[in-house]
Every structure is written in structure tokens, then in C-alpha cells.
Amino acid sequence: DAGVIQSPRHEVTEMGQEVTLRCKPISGHDYLFWYRQTMMRGLELLIYFNNNVPIDDSGMPEDRFSAKMPNASFSTLKIQPSEPRDSAVYFCASSSGTGAETQYFGPGTRLLVL
Amino acid sequence: GDSVTQMEGPVTLSEEAFLTINCTYTATGYPSLFWYVQYPGEGLQLLLKATKADDKGSNKGFEATYRKETTSFHLEKGSVQVSDSAVYFCALSAPETSGSRLTFGEGTQLTVNP
């Protein structure tokens, strides 16, 4: 398997623009997670899905952020409008279960909002 | 709520030195414990894990023992290499209280000099 795939790997945009991050989880994994990593706040869980259904979105910072999972092999994280404080590395991860199951992380999308 | 505390970094060692990175946790029930490693420019990947008290996880020369009496999961390696330079994250999973999320520590930056 190719692992978790994220695109784009790097994104530079201007404040106010819409940004869409994409993720393809490992085939057969039922759980998908979106994280944000910054120097100031470390690694934060934004939202996670189980069987394409959002289960916990308590980490989504505000209404400008939205996430969807239309099918088992694709998810998007959208920021509209983007702000400079959204600059971070965004990771997608997937797993086949919870508890002791390993989460497999993608390579991340490095977002810079000017 | 659940929490993970790691020793503050960064940590700088010479090649072949002994490594210890401390990790303590707070959780109800019986969490699973993990160490993830993040190499520069990459996503996190599982290094090792333990699912019950007194279990020892090991991988690539790294070891950690699940100590319930001291609520600790310290990471050790007898002889570090330059290639071990990375950020190390301690994490726990406690489905009874936190659902499917992983709770991460702050991360410890390790630099190994030749």
C-alpha cells in the first residue's frame, strides 16, 4: 500500500483565499483524522471520521474550517477564508480501529497564508 | 481529562550516548501507550507501543515499559546514532474517556552529533 496520501504537499496563498487540503487514507481503514501542527500549539486534533461520518469536530478552530469525507477513500479539509494564523502543517492520519491500533500519518501539507 | 507530559527539550547527545526521554501520563482506566517519531519534513510514524501494565515495547533499539504504578512510559536507547535525530512524541489512547483520539505530549527534539 502507498500509505496515506496528502495533496498538495505545499500551499502558499493570500489571506482571504479558499484553501482545500486533500487526503486519501489507507485502503480498508475505517478511521480518518485531521491534525494541525504549529510551533506554538504543537499537534492538535481537528476532527475525525469513522466510516465517513464525522464523530468529533471539537478541535475545529472556527466556522472558517470545514471537513468532509464523501467516501471511504477521500477526505477534504477546507479553510474559507484563510488567515495568516492558519499557517501550519496539516496532517491526515488513518487507522483500522481505536484503542491500541496504530494511526498512520501522511507526509503533511505545509500551508503558508500571506 | 487525559494528558501526557514529556520532558522538556531539546536534547543534544553525542553518537553512542545513552538516551532517556521521560513521559508520564494521566488517564482513567487502562490506556494504551505509544511513542511516535517525526523525522524532518515527514509525518509521524509509530516507533513502539504497549497496551497493558508491565508490557515492554521495542523497535530499532528503542525500548519503553508501561509502568502503571508510576504512570510512566519512558523511552530509552542504549546507543544513539546520528540518524535518530528527530522529534519524539509520547501518546496515549483511552477510548473509555476520549473516544478514538490520541492524546499527544508536546514532543521532544533530539539531536545526535557525530
Side-chain angles (χ1 to χ4, degrees), chain A residues 10-27:
Chain A
H10 302 273
E11 177 81 22
V12 180
T13 191
E14 292 188 347
M15 183 174 63
Q17 296 299 305
E18 178 179 292
V19 175
T20 299
L21 311 181
R22 297 173 176 80
C23 174
K24 176 179 169 55
I26 292 172
S27 177

Side-chain angles (χ1 to χ4, degrees), chain A residues 61-77:
Chain A
E62 49 199 274
D63 291 345
R64 297 184 298 107
F65 286 69
S66 63
K68 294 182 179 180
M69 192 165 186
N71 57 62
S73 59
F74 183 65
S75 178
T76 60
L77 178 67

Side-chain angles (χ1 to χ4, degrees), chain A residues 27-90:
Chain A
S27 177
H29 282 189
D30 297 331
Y31 289 83
L32 184 139
F33 305 82
W34 281 102
Y35 292 90
R36 179 172 68 176
Q37 186 177 40
T38 61
M39 290 294 292
M40 291 298 295
R41 300 175 66 91
L43 196 62
E44 304 172 274
L45 177 66
L46 300 178
I47 185 171
Y48 76 88
F49 296 82
N50 178 215
N51 291 323
N52 313 337
V53 176
I55 302 300
D56 184 351
D57 65 354
S58 60
M60 295 287 263
E62 49 199 274
D63 291 345
R64 297 184 298 107
F65 286 69
S66 63
K68 294 182 179 180
M69 192 165 186
N71 57 62
S73 59
F74 183 65
S75 178
T76 60
L77 178 67
K78 187 173 294 186
I79 308 172
Q80 166 63 20
S82 58
E83 297 183 3
R85 59 194 169 118
D86 302 330
S87 298
V89 181
Y90 291 81

Side-chain angles (χ1 to χ4, degrees), chain A residues 91-92 110 112:
Chain A
F91 290 104
C92 176
R110 187 172 297 273
L112 177 61

Side-chain angles (χ1 to χ4, degrees), chain A residues 37 48 56 98-100 102-103, chain B residues 36 38 46 49 93 100-101:
Chain A
Q37 186 177 40
Y48 76 88
D56 184 351
T98 60
T102 300
Q103 288 189 17
Chain B
Y36 280 81
Q38 184 179 27
L46 180 70
K49 66 181 177 183
S93 172
S100 300
R101 62 174 56 230

